[in-house]
């Protein structure tokens, strides 16, 4: 892989790395024909982020042989892009070069006055990092300028771990500090903020719905979005289902998938589960949806590497091999809300089915955004 | 018991948050005493505070556009609350360009000081941010613990040099020693000293001036008849002094220090309507 990034795009890359560093300790680089994808997942698999920069983003882009992937320590990669103002001021061009033989990922920053900074990072060949989620299945959607959300989040203390996002009946959107379980009530400060719906670009939320998620990773994505002044879309469903934060641009797309807390708060408001179902008919039944959207990150083993030469198969990798799979509509008809399979089981299930029989290690990038419903 | 106040003026709001920030730097928890005309932030000298105490007094009229309070009883028309000033400081930090800030005592689930900030927005309605700051209402029988400290019977009272200068000196001295000796006389001279096994450093200040205390009440006896050249000294924890110098954001128009030899250093910072007193006990 070899790519060259110029001017302001170097800063965008830097911001992306900063956002990713909030998520995980390792950075996964995955070049493909669709572009260069940078990903990270938290060790507890409760957060996943991916940034895809399309070939047009680069001044020059050669993805190299399919299946090339590597993982580097986030700390070392972040070190290269640590100071964002410096990137902006002095770096003119950035070269990213993967040298599998030498076992080095080379990052070269061409700065003003002919200064060239070369960083050689050790990398590991790695499995594919993939989260399974589907924005289509989320009952609620919010779209707002990054600045609005950034100005909202700034009111919450840096030490606060989680925040609850909720929709009031009047369409107003609220954010509220989430106090950890076990913390004494009346000990911690509770901050609450309400935003009028007309400050958003789009509000399609289930009234009364709310989710609780981690602020740290969200803040990271927000600062990226703010820097590139892109609107941010939040897709969410019931508590416990992942919330998906997306950014779209002609040159890049970003996804952040965050686990949400199962029961947000014991308040008077009942969980709006039925509500959601009624107003959004295509919502699939419980266990099916759970699987589809499971925020768990299924890791494919690097054993697939050998098949790399095979043409990348369509992106039903996560879908077709599952024996339990059936047509969503059909299943919905006869939906018997049963106990969803145990989370742990499901993640193993993904792994075992996908690793040996998976149709290929490099399904195209769409998998990132959505599951393969379209394929059926 | 009721309390409700409102700040509309931005300059007042910023001034108020600077005072709160100062308090927050000096005390983790403190007592807020509300009376009809004044607000007090009080830290009483408990062992847990390292013997340090603080008394900060502001006139509500200089900050608030509305200020209504009803104390526990007509003859005790006051409210004493315990709170973490850091919370209040945080709440005000993001209120820099607020249209209005309301502060209210509530008791929904537990007693809280509710700070409601009205912020300008791009839409027709403003954004409202509320912070519920937990407080503890201090019962009347404990009020005596929070009486105004008397100005100690000091040996020397002296105006302080520019606090910024003092700050940078103390910060450097802090790297060398845990204790600092402040000594001053009635001829406007003050020395800041550290003494360790390997190094002694002294910074001398002169022509600082001595405040004319005696005229206010005649009881400041120790300073009277004192040799103008003889130094009164006090050895204190350098961190406590640094905390005051670093944390203060009131930019006082007058700053002075009263020294009771080998017992206490008493600092007074005055800025128009705000007065901050800070007591640091001497170490043996």
């Amino acid at each position: 892989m070899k790519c060259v990034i110029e001017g302001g795009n170097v800063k965008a890359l830097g911001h992306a790395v900063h956002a990713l560093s909030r998520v995980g300790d390792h950075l996964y680089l995955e070049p493909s024909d669709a572009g260069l994808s940078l990903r990270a997942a938290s060790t507890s698999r409760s957060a996943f982020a991916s940034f895809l920069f399309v070939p047009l983003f680069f001044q020059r882009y050669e993805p190299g042989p399919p299946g090339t992937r590597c993982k580097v320590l986030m700390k070392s990669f972040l070190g290269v892009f640590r100071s964002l103002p410096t990137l902006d001021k002095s770096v003119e061009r950035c070269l990213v070069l993967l040298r599998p033989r030498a076992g080095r990922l080379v990052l070269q920053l061409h700065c003003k006055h002919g200064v060239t900074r070369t960083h050689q990072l050790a990398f590991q060949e790695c499995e594919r990092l993939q989260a399974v989620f589907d924005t289509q299945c989320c009952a609620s959607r919010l779209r707002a300028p990054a600045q609005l959300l950034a100005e909202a989040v700034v009111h919450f203390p840096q030490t606060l771990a989680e925040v609850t996002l909720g929709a009031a009946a009047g369409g107003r959107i609220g954010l509220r500090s989430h106090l950890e379980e076990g913390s004494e009530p009346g000990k911690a400060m509770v901050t609450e903020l309400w935003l009028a719906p007309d400050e958003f670009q789009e509000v399609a939320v289930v009234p009364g719905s709310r989710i609780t998620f981690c602020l740290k990773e969200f803040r990271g994505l927000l600062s990226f979005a703010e820097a590139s002044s892109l609107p941010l879309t939040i897709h969410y469903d019931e508590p416990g289902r992942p919330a998906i934060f997306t950014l779209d641009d002609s040159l890049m797309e970003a996804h952040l998938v965050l686990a949400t807390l199962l029961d947000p708060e014991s308040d008077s408001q009942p969980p709006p589960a039925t509500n959601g179902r009624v107003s959004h008919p295509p919502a699939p039944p419980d266990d099916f949806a759970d699987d589809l959207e499971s925020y768990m990150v299924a890791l494919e083993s690097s054993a697939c590497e050998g098949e790399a030469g095979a043409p990348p198969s369509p992106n039903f990798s996560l879908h077709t091999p599952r024996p339990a799979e059936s047509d969503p509509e059909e299943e919905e008809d006869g939906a018997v809300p049963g106990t969803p399979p145990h989370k742990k089981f499901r993640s193993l299930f993904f792994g075992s089915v996908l690793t040996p029989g998976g149709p290929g290690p490099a399904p195209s990038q769409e998998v990132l955004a959505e599951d393969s419903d379209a394929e059926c | 018991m009721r309390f409700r106040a409102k700040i509309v003026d931005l300059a007042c709001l910023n001034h108020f948050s600077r005072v709160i920030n100062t308090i927050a730097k000096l005390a983790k928890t403190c007592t807020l005493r509300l009376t009809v005309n004044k607000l007090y932030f009080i830290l009483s000298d408990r062992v847990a505070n390292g013997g340090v105490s603080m008394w900060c007094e502001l006139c509500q009229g200089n900050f608030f556009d509305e200020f209504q309070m009803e104390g526990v009883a007509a003859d005790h028309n006051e409210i004493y609350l315990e709170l973490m000033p850091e919370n209040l400081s945080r709440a005000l930090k993001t209120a820099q360009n607020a249209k209005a800030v309301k502060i209210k005592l509530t008791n929904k689930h537990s007693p809280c000081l509710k700070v409601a900030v009205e912020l300008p927005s791009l839409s027709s309605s403003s954004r409202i941010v509320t912070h519920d700051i937990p407080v503890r209402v201090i019962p009347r029988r404990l009020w005596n613990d929070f009486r105004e400290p008397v100005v100690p019977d000091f040996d020397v009272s002296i105006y302080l040099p520019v606090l910024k200068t003092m700050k940078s000196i103390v910060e450097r001295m802090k790297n060398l020693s845990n204790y600092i000796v402040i000594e001053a006389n009635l001829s406007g001279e003050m020395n800041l000293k550290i003494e360790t096994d390997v190094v002694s450093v002294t910074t001398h200040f002169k022509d600082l001036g001595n405040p004319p205390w005696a005229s206010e009440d005649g009881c400041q006896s120790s300073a009277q008849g004192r040799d103008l050249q003889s130094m009164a000294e006090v050895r204190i924890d350098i961190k406590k002094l640094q905390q005051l110098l670093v944390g203060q954001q009131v930019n006082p128009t007058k700053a002075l220090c009263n020294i009771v030899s080998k017992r206490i250093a008493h600092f007074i910072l005055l800025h128009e309507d705000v007065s901050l007193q800070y007591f640091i006990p001497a170490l043996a």
Side-chain angles (χ1 to χ4, degrees):
Chain A
M1 178 201 43
K2 180 178 183 179
C3 49
V4 177
I5 306 150
E6 282 214 312
N9 286 358
V10 180
K11 202 185 170 195
L13 179 70
H15 273 287
V17 175
H18 277 255
L20 285 158
S21 72
R22 303 273 190 124
V23 175
D25 297 333
H26 289 95
L27 180 70
Y28 292 74
L29 284 107
E30 238 171 72
S32 72
D33 289 337
L36 176 65
S37 172
L38 305 181
R39 301 173 186 196
S42 64
T43 35
S44 62
R45 296 294 188 247
S46 60
F48 167 84
S50 92
F51 285 79
L52 173 72
F53 296 99
V54 305
L56 261 181
F57 175 85
F58 304 92
Q59 197 230 353
R60 192 167 153 204
Y61 181 72
E62 295 164 11
T68 323
R69 285 187 281 272
C70 72
K71 130 177 146 175
V72 292
L73 270 183
M74 186 65 82
K75 240 196 261 167
S76 18
F77 203 93
L78 183 65
V80 181
F81 297 96
R82 175 78 68 192
S83 162
L84 293 172
T86 316
L87 281 188
D88 200 26
K89 257 188 285 170
S90 69
V91 179
E92 290 167 341
R93 203 147 42 92
C94 168
L95 168 76
V96 184
L97 185 65
L98 188 65
R99 291 187 146 146
R101 291 246 178 81
R104 288 280 182 269
L105 177 72
V106 182
L107 289 164
Q108 211 166 54
L109 301 181
H110 296 265
C111 310
K112 273 189 189 146
H113 312 299
V115 175
T116 305
R117 269 166 56 195
T118 308
H119 300 258
Q120 310 243 8
L121 309 184
F123 74 86
Q124 281 176 283
E125 284 182 18
C126 66
E127 63 277 30
R128 189 180 161 75
L129 185 69
Q130 180 69 69
V132 187
F133 57 90
D134 183 4
T135 53
Q136 300 301 309
C137 286
C138 290
S140 299
R141 192 169 64 243
L142 274 174
R143 190 176 172 84
Q147 204 198 349
L148 173 75
L149 297 167
E151 282 175 8
V153 165
V154 80
H155 297 283
F156 294 88
Q158 286 293 330
T159 48
L160 182 72
E162 284 130 2
V163 77
T164 302
L165 172 88
R172 286 196 310 159
I173 303 299
L175 282 172
R176 187 183 160 89
S177 328
H178 175 79
L179 300 184
E180 276 173 49
E181 263 177 68
S183 67
E184 274 178 75
K187 274 281 174 222
M189 176 164 79
V190 174
T191 300
E192 197 172 23
L193 165 93
W194 288 101
L195 298 167
D198 56 352
E199 293 210 68
F200 289 82
Q201 291 166 331
E202 187 189 356
V203 177
V205 292
V206 178
S209 60
R210 53 189 195 172
I211 47 158
T212 301
F213 55 90
C214 278
L215 259 180
K216 187 180 91 175
E217 292 86 356
F218 180 55
R219 279 197 163 114
L221 184 69
L222 262 185
S223 54
F224 175 87
E226 224 191 343
S228 42
S229 24
L230 288 174
L232 191 132
T233 312
I234 306 173
H235 307 264
Y236 70 92
D237 210 68
E238 286 166 33
R241 302 278 181 77
I244 304 146
F245 305 83
T246 59
L247 297 172
D248 277 300
D249 183 54
S250 53
L251 293 181
M252 59 80 53
E253 57 186 66
H255 291 89
L256 172 68
V257 186
L258 288 183
T260 64
L261 284 194
L262 209 54
D263 47 343
E265 256 164 49
S266 50
D267 215 38
S268 51
Q269 266 173 323
T274 32
N275 243 346
R277 287 286 142 72
V278 173
S279 50
H280 298 263
D286 266 340
D287 47 357
F288 173 71
D290 248 2
D291 271 0
L292 257 189
E293 301 174 47
S294 164
Y295 55 81
M296 243 156 316
V297 178
L299 291 172
E300 282 184 43
S301 137
S302 48
C304 299
E305 211 92 80
E307 298 171 65
S313 45
N315 60 349
F316 48 60
S317 56
L318 299 169
H319 208 70
T320 345
R322 295 218 310 257
E325 207 46 78
S326 58
D327 188 32
E329 271 74 37
E330 190 187 310
E331 209 173 72
E332 195 181 27
D333 288 339
V336 182
T339 323
H342 194 265
K343 284 252 158 75
K344 196 164 182 183
F345 170 68
R346 260 183 291 137
S347 84
L348 288 171
F349 188 55
F350 273 119
S352 61
V353 172
L354 291 174
T355 312
S364 62
Q365 289 296 334
E366 283 92 301
V367 177
L368 263 186
E370 298 172 9
D371 208 283
S372 42
D373 257 336
E375 288 297 322
C376 306
Chain B
M1 208 161 43
R2 265 172 221 283
F3 170 63
R4 177 194 285 272
K6 188 175 174 184
I7 306 182
V8 178
D9 186 82
L10 265 187
C12 290
L13 179 62
N14 288 332
H15 187 19
F16 187 63
S17 40
R18 276 199 301 275
V19 174
I20 301 297
N21 291 344
T22 305
I23 308 283
K25 289 274 160 51
L26 295 176
K28 205 163 174 285
T29 58
C30 75
T31 303
L32 169 61
R33 173 184 165 203
L34 300 163
T35 67
V36 177
N37 293 316
K38 288 191 166 181
L39 293 91
Y40 303 84
F41 292 91
I42 306 162
L43 182 69
S44 53
D45 58 337
R46 300 213 184 95
V47 181
N49 309 329
V52 165
S53 59
M54 175 190 74
W55 180 268
C56 178
E57 193 174 321
L58 5 158
C59 287
Q60 58 91 351
N62 290 322
F63 294 92
F64 295 93
D65 296 86
E66 282 171 33
F67 193 91
Q68 302 162 14
M69 67 90 46
E70 241 174 66
V72 283
D75 54 335
H76 290 90
N77 197 14
E78 300 190 8
I79 300 173
Y80 282 71
L81 304 170
E82 186 183 273
L83 57 81
M84 291 170 67
E86 173 64 24
N87 284 335
L88 195 52
S89 152
R90 260 192 214 137
L92 295 172
K93 193 187 276 169
T94 53
Q96 298 296 337
N97 58 345
K99 291 204 246 173
V101 173
K102 286 181 199 165
I103 304 176
K104 202 168 119 183
L105 185 62
T106 62
N107 191 8
K108 209 157 54 173
H109 302 295
S110 56
C112 275
L113 211 52
K114 195 187 224 14
V115 179
V117 183
E118 190 185 338
L119 293 160
S121 79
L122 300 171
S123 82
S124 49
S125 52
S126 357
R127 289 176 203 160
I128 307 286
V129 185
T130 60
H131 304 271
D132 283 329
I133 299 169
V135 296
R136 192 172 68 88
V137 177
I138 297 173
R140 214 159 85 191
R141 63 190 154 81
L142 299 178
W143 286 8
N144 275 340
D145 295 353
F146 305 101
R147 269 184 302 197
E148 176 165 11
V150 284
V151 175
D153 185 9
F154 52 78
D155 297 300
V156 167
S157 177
I158 192 160
Y159 286 118
L160 291 173
V162 178
L163 292 186
K164 226 175 161 182
T165 313
M166 205 170 145
K167 183 184 101 175
S168 56
I169 290 166
V170 170
E171 269 180 338
R172 275 157 189 77
M173 286 180 161
K174 200 189 122 224
N175 299 329
L176 300 172
S177 174
N178 294 326
Y179 311 103
I180 187 168
V181 174
I182 304 180
E183 53 177 24
N185 63 17
L186 291 170
S187 313
E189 293 173 338
M190 184 178 86
N191 301 329
L192 298 177
K193 285 203 300 204
I194 53 162
E195 278 164 345
T196 70
D197 294 343
V198 289
V199 66
S200 298
V201 181
T202 308
T203 308
H204 304 269
F205 295 92
K206 55 183 183 181
D207 303 327
L208 294 174
N210 300 90
W213 277 97
S215 57
E216 280 177 28
D217 52 356
C219 61
Q220 313 291 344
S221 53
S222 295
Q224 283 173 356
R226 192 184 162 85
D227 174 14
L228 294 184
Q229 298 300 321
S230 88
M231 290 280 181
E233 67 161 59
V234 64
R235 183 165 170 265
I236 57 173
D237 183 344
I238 197 165
K239 266 183 278 171
K240 301 272 187 273
L241 177 60
Q242 190 213 12
Q243 216 175 15
L244 173 71
L245 296 169
V246 171
Q248 73 84 17
Q249 290 183 22
V250 289
N251 302 317
T253 43
K254 262 190 194 134
L256 52 101
C257 175
N258 298 327
I259 295 174
V260 185
S261 265
K262 307 213 156 49
R263 267 192 48 219
I264 205 162
H266 171 213
F267 296 90
I268 305 176
L269 310 186
L270 295 170
H271 175 92
E272 292 167 25
D273 36 20
V274 182
S275 82
L276 175 74
Q277 298 183 57
Y278 196 64
F279 298 81
I280 306 177
L283 298 163

